[in-house]
Amino acid sequence: MDALLLSRFQFAATTMFHFLFVPLTLGLSIIVAYMETKYIRTGDKTYLDMTKFWAKLFLINFAVGVVTGITLEFQFGTNWSRYSAYVGDIFGSLLAIEATASFFLESTLIGVWIFGWNKLSKKAHAAVMWLVALGSHLSAVWILVANAWMQSPVGYTIREGRAELTDFAAVVTQKFAVVKIIHTISSAMVLGAFFIMGISAYHLLKKNNVDFFNRSFKTGLGFAVVFSLVVFIMGDLNGVVVGEKQPAKLAAMESLWETQKAAPVYLFAWPDEENGRNTIEIGPIPGALSLLVKHDFNAEIKGLNDFPKEEHPPVLITSFAFKGMVGLGTVFILLSIAGLFLKDKLVNTPLYLKIMVAAIPLPYLAIQLGWLVTEIGRQPWIVYGLMKTAEADSPIAASQVGISLAAFIIVYGLLGLAGFYLIARKAIQGPDMDGDDNGHGAIGQPLKTA
């Protein structure tokens, strides 16, 4: 393998590993802030215990996420120097804002929140948690704006062989960025909600702290119902935007080879990339793709065979990842709606609780599949229509990348095992239920899982 392919493997592996932790940070930060606010408004100590228990899982997850994210930005210099030189004025400025404004805000306030239980008023302490959530989400917003620019470059000019920023507002307000931000953050909320519901279901099956986990489950359920529907709606809007900006990616997502009116959606299709057709097509729904993308049953959709073959993204991976993501999104809506009917008799519905325990990893999988669609579907471009991935890597030896890739796999593998072990151990252990209502004694002390 050459240095380019190894660099792609390395960035994909480290990004996908980092993205195992980021969505849970986003989702739990909001839900924990909501629980603490609920405690202040009601004075009910159970909500305080809930805040402390779920916050411990949030903090373990946050710590691993931070460590795994730091190396990503260095790779733009080590592995993707030609990309950085070409678009650094634009891409670099967005990453700089994320690091200096949002990430430092989030990291500093987490320290204030952890050690502020005995020093801040209850309202001030809860306000800090909301600011932590705000910092986390702003951090995600800047990263997503940067990625949206790679998908749909706007607000720039080419001067002396480099892309230079000319319209900052156009970059941060373009439709591709807005839709991507809402879609991704909503997905993170679904993950956080299913994480809480799954762990609560585990304890309800064992009849542990029934009131505590009943309330936790119902809290997660409220977020799951709302945001699983938001994800569905934004997913549809995202398809419309992709159809406008990246028509080749849209055709790959649906395995559509021929340009046609009333373009169908296939329930299942196996693409034959060599011959530009589908080997297997099952369950075509005529006009469905035209309706979803252009809101017109008879609208024409451009097929892959009308794009140069060298500009086709990998169709098999893009198509399967897209259909898997959509299928899982539908499952989340159905499980959430079922929860609305069963929420008052959870301990008497063990089958549903077992399904919810088994469903814990599914939002992780859905988000990873969505990321594959976003990044692989954009190929062969690193900046769509402007710079190809093959033109963006650093002039370094394959052996150098091979060594760093192996090191990442080993270190991140160990780090991931440690992080998920600590999260699982604390989740199974359950709440301490020994904090007083002034907040002493739980978060500011070393975690018992350590």
Side-chain angles (χ1 to χ4, degrees):
M1 287 187 279
D2 59 18
L4 172 62
L5 186 58
L6 288 170
S7 292
R8 294 179 68 180
F9 278 139
Q10 180 171 300
F11 198 79
T14 51
T15 302
M16 293 180 74
F17 185 82
H18 176 58
F19 215 57
L20 288 172
F21 301 95
V22 172
L24 186 60
T25 293
L26 296 174
L28 281 186
S29 65
I30 292 286
I31 299 175
V32 168
Y34 170 82
M35 289 174 176
E36 188 170 3
T37 303
K38 191 87 173 176
Y39 160 64
I40 292 171
R41 294 184 64 183
T42 64
D44 188 332
K45 183 177 171 296
T46 301
Y47 286 108
L48 177 62
D49 292 329
M50 288 164 58
T51 301
K52 292 178 177 176
F53 173 68
W54 296 109
K56 286 183 180 178
L57 302 181
F58 164 77
L59 292 172
I60 297 169
N61 181 79
F62 175 82
V64 181
V66 168
V67 172
T68 57
I70 291 173
T71 59
L72 292 176
E73 297 192 18
F74 287 104
Q75 289 183 59
F76 289 115
T78 56
N79 297 56
W80 302 101
S81 61
R82 289 188 284 191
Y83 165 80
S84 298
Y86 188 63
V87 303
D89 284 4
I90 305 166
F91 197 79
S93 64
L94 297 169
L95 295 188
I97 295 171
E98 185 272 334
T100 56
S102 306
F103 177 68
F104 285 135
L105 170 72
E106 172 191 18
S107 302
T108 303
L109 288 174
I110 276 185
V112 175
W113 190 80
I114 292 172
F115 299 105
W117 286 97
N118 300 323
K119 300 174 179 63
L120 299 174
S121 70
K122 294 176 182 178
K123 289 184 178 179
H125 194 265
V128 171
M129 190 61 214
W130 280 109
L131 290 172
V132 169
L134 176 65
S136 300
H137 284 72
L138 284 176
S139 183
V141 164
W142 289 114
I143 296 297
L144 292 170
V145 167
N147 184 267
W149 189 84
M150 296 170 70
Q151 308 289 337
S152 172
V154 296
Y156 73 96
T157 188
I158 302 297
R159 185 177 294 133
E160 298 180 356
R162 299 171 65 248
E164 295 185 1
L165 183 64
T166 58
D167 189 344
F168 184 75
V171 172
V172 299
T173 62
Q174 67 155 317
K175 190 162 37 175
F176 212 114
V178 174
V179 172
K180 176 185 281 289
I181 288 166
I182 300 174
H183 186 58
T184 305
I185 289 179
S186 299
S187 302
M189 294 305 304
V190 172
L191 191 153
F194 270 74
F195 179 83
I196 288 176
M197 289 193 293
I199 293 171
S200 299
Y202 169 83
H203 286 284
L204 289 173
L205 280 167
K206 294 181 172 298
K207 305 290 194 296
N208 295 334
N209 299 303
V210 171
D211 179 57
F212 177 97
F213 284 110
N214 246 321
R215 294 197 202 189
S216 293
F217 190 100
K218 290 178 181 178
T219 300
L221 178 62
F223 284 93
V225 170
V226 172
F227 285 99
S228 61
L229 292 174
V230 174
V231 168
F232 180 81
I233 295 168
M234 296 311 299
D236 177 62
L237 294 176
N238 205 24
V240 174
V241 176
V242 169
E244 292 175 8
K245 305 292 185 182
Q246 299 180 333
K249 177 192 284 185
L250 175 75
M253 288 160 58
E254 294 291 355
S255 266
L256 183 73
W257 294 95
E258 303 300 333
T259 299
Q260 56 188 290
K261 294 183 177 179
V265 166
Y266 296 101
L267 297 181
F268 178 81
W270 187 278
D272 177 355
E273 300 185 48
E274 183 64 29
N275 295 304
R277 62 186 178 88
N278 292 326
T279 305
I280 302 172
E281 294 177 345
I282 298 175
I285 305 174
L289 182 57
S290 297
L291 179 66
L292 290 171
V293 175
K294 297 192 175 180
H295 301 152
D296 178 356
F297 269 112
N298 293 311
E300 183 176 277
I301 304 296
K302 191 174 180 180
L304 281 163
N305 287 336
D306 282 335
F307 294 93
K309 194 164 185 177
E310 63 273 18
E311 294 185 4
H312 288 189
V315 182
L316 182 67
I317 298 175
T318 305
S319 175
F320 277 33
F322 174 69
K323 291 188 184 301
M325 177 187 64
V326 172
L328 288 171
T330 305
V331 169
F332 302 149
I333 293 174
L334 295 176
L335 288 176
S336 301
I337 292 174
L340 287 178
F341 291 98
L342 301 173
K343 62 184 174 64
D344 294 325
K345 48 184 177 184
L346 288 171
V347 293
N348 297 320
T349 53
L351 177 59
Y352 177 69
L353 293 177
K354 289 177 182 177
I355 291 173
M356 293 308 294
V357 174
I360 291 176
L362 297 185
Y364 286 96
L365 177 60
I367 288 175
Q368 294 288 334
L369 291 175
W371 198 245
L372 286 177
V373 173
T374 300
E375 298 305 300
I376 293 180
R378 191 189 59 226
Q379 300 305 317
W381 304 97
I382 191 168
V383 181
Y384 196 79
L386 190 62
M387 184 181 203
K388 290 189 173 179
T389 306
E391 303 166 341
D393 62 327
S394 301
I396 52 178
S399 58
Q400 293 174 290
V401 189
I403 292 171
S404 61
L405 174 59
F408 273 122
I409 291 173
I410 294 171
V411 174
Y412 276 28
L414 294 173
L415 197 60
L417 286 174
F420 282 118
Y421 169 75
L422 289 174
I423 291 172
R425 180 175 172 180
K426 185 60 193 171
I428 293 171
Q429 185 182 54
D432 296 330
M433 308 289 283
D434 58 356
D436 61 39
D437 63 2
N438 289 320
H440 294 260
I443 299 292
Q445 295 178 354
L447 295 173
K448 292 181 179 179
T449 54

